[in-house]
Amino acid sequence: MGRLKNRIDYENLRNARILENQARLSSLGLQKTLSELRSLTSSAKAEKGRTQKRKHAKKVYEIADLRRSDRLKHIATDSLSALKSLPLRRSYRLRANSDEPTSPNKVVKGNTDYESEEESSDREKRPANAPFLNIKGVKLPSLSPEASARRCHSKGRGSIYDPFFGICCHFCRQKKLCGEEDCKRCGNLDPDEQCIGKTDCSVCHSTNGVFCRACLKVRYGEEMEEVRENKAWMCPHCIEEKGIKPFWICNSSLCLKKRKMGPTGLAIYRAREMGYESVAHLLMDELKRRNNLKSLQG
């Protein structure tokens, strides 16, 4: 009871002091001054927000030349001007939805473009290292002497990027002219010749079997000269399909992603340290070990 009484006395004393202070402020006129000041500041803020709107400064970009990579800068100027006159390669789906004029060797039936029998048969017969290019009625470009000399600087993958005549390697996906000196397709830009610096699978003749010299050696341990002489050469995809080499797979990032495997990166250094001929041989042994462990655990 003593504690409760003390608490009540304290509350009464506190309330009395609050009333005393309020009476003192009202007698001095300070309470009114405070309320007026608050109203003035709030109205000034509201007026400022209404009158002063945020000014939007439009950014003006300078007109300057486009920055291009060294890979594109090294393309010969005469080759570039000739490439501009070549027709764009577009998918048939996009051509159907656009007003793009059809090529002269296509037959128009209704609203659909159809290839002529001669063109479609030519496309089917061609190997992957000599893809079909629709260049009828277009003047073919030629490489300048400087570009011809620079093309063979890198024999592995080539030194000149060409978006039209270059053939894309399945592994490195570099669309370059090959660095082989005797290649008539890349040296003379002759679309009817095969590129001797890119492979062609004897079974599928698809882009899955196109590899440059460097990728063929580093990733699969094969030499371009041996592949060229072997008319029955098969790409890793066809070898796996036919079951010729168990666990022999294509180790490109595209194919590994389909298998839900991570890309190997620069695994050639690890493979050579461990005594393997290529990355494909290293992966083959790793897959064998995984399969043996699964069979033991199962």
Side-chain angles (χ1 to χ4, degrees), residues 200-203 222 230 232-239 242 244:
D200 174 47
C201 178
S202 62
V203 178
E222 299 184 69
N230 184 11
W233 180 81
M234 286 188 289
C235 65
H237 294 265
C238 294
I239 290 174
K242 293 183 177 294
I244 298 170

Side-chain angles (χ1 to χ4, degrees), residues 88-103 106 108 110-113:
L88 291 173
R89 294 190 291 177
R90 302 184 69 184
S91 67
Y92 298 117
R93 176 177 58 81
L94 293 176
R95 286 179 190 174
N97 296 330
S98 66
D99 298 330
E100 185 181 340
T102 58
S103 60
K106 287 196 177 180
V108 180
N111 295 325
T112 311
D113 296 346

Side-chain angles (χ1 to χ4, degrees), residues 13 84-85 100 104 143 155-156 201 209 214 217 229 231 246 288:
L13 183 62
K84 286 179 182 177
S85 62
E100 185 181 340
L143 289 175
K155 197 174 182 180
C201 178
K217 175 66 178 173
E229 290 174 4
K231 302 298 181 185
K288 278 181 185 177

Side-chain angles (χ1 to χ4, degrees), residues 72-276:
L72 294 176
K73 284 178 184 176
H74 288 315
I75 300 176
T77 54
D78 53 350
S79 178
L80 268 177
S81 59
L83 283 174
K84 286 179 182 177
S85 62
L86 292 172
L88 291 173
R89 294 190 291 177
R90 302 184 69 184
S91 67
Y92 298 117
R93 176 177 58 81
L94 293 176
R95 286 179 190 174
N97 296 330
S98 66
D99 298 330
E100 185 181 340
T102 58
S103 60
N105 53 345
K106 287 196 177 180
V107 182
V108 180
K109 294 182 181 179
N111 295 325
T112 311
D113 296 346
Y114 294 93
E115 287 182 332
S116 63
E117 292 179 4
E118 182 186 353
E119 184 178 351
S120 60
S121 61
D122 191 13
R123 188 187 294 271
E124 289 171 5
K125 289 176 186 175
R126 284 179 174 270
N129 58 359
F132 176 79
L133 297 176
N134 186 8
I135 53 173
K136 289 185 179 181
V138 178
K139 186 181 177 182
L140 291 177
S142 60
L143 289 175
S144 63
E146 181 191 356
S148 297
R150 193 173 66 251
R151 182 178 69 84
C152 300
H153 284 176
S154 172
K155 197 174 182 180
R157 291 192 176 95
S159 301
I160 296 179
Y161 175 83
D162 194 306
F164 196 81
F165 287 95
I167 300 172
C168 187
C169 172
H170 178 61
F171 183 82
C172 65
R173 298 195 283 280
Q174 293 292 317
K175 209 169 187 181
K176 291 182 176 181
L177 302 177
C178 76
E180 307 291 331
E181 294 178 0
D182 302 331
C183 183
K184 294 179 181 178
R185 182 184 178 92
C186 297
N188 303 332
L189 299 183
D190 188 352
D192 295 325
E193 295 288 339
Q194 292 188 31
C195 176
I196 63 174
K198 299 288 196 306
T199 59
D200 174 47
C201 178
S202 62
V203 178
C204 65
H205 297 289
S206 68
T207 55
N208 290 334
V210 178
F211 297 97
C212 61
R213 178 185 284 273
C215 293
L216 188 68
K217 175 66 178 173
V218 171
R219 308 302 301 193
Y220 305 96
E222 299 184 69
E223 296 289 347
M224 184 63 72
E225 286 77 13
E226 295 175 2
V227 171
R228 231 180 270 153
E229 290 174 4
N230 184 11
K231 302 298 181 185
W233 180 81
M234 286 188 289
C235 65
H237 294 265
C238 294
I239 290 174
E240 182 188 359
E241 241 178 76
K242 293 183 177 294
I244 298 170
K245 286 185 185 179
F247 305 104
W248 183 263
I249 62 169
C250 178
N251 56 79
S252 69
S253 59
L254 295 171
C255 297
L256 291 177
K257 190 176 180 180
K258 289 176 184 177
R259 295 174 174 275
K260 297 183 179 179
M261 295 171 65
T264 57
L266 299 175
I268 183 60
Y269 300 110
R270 182 163 62 95
R272 285 176 178 169
E273 283 176 6
M274 297 172 69
Y276 290 100

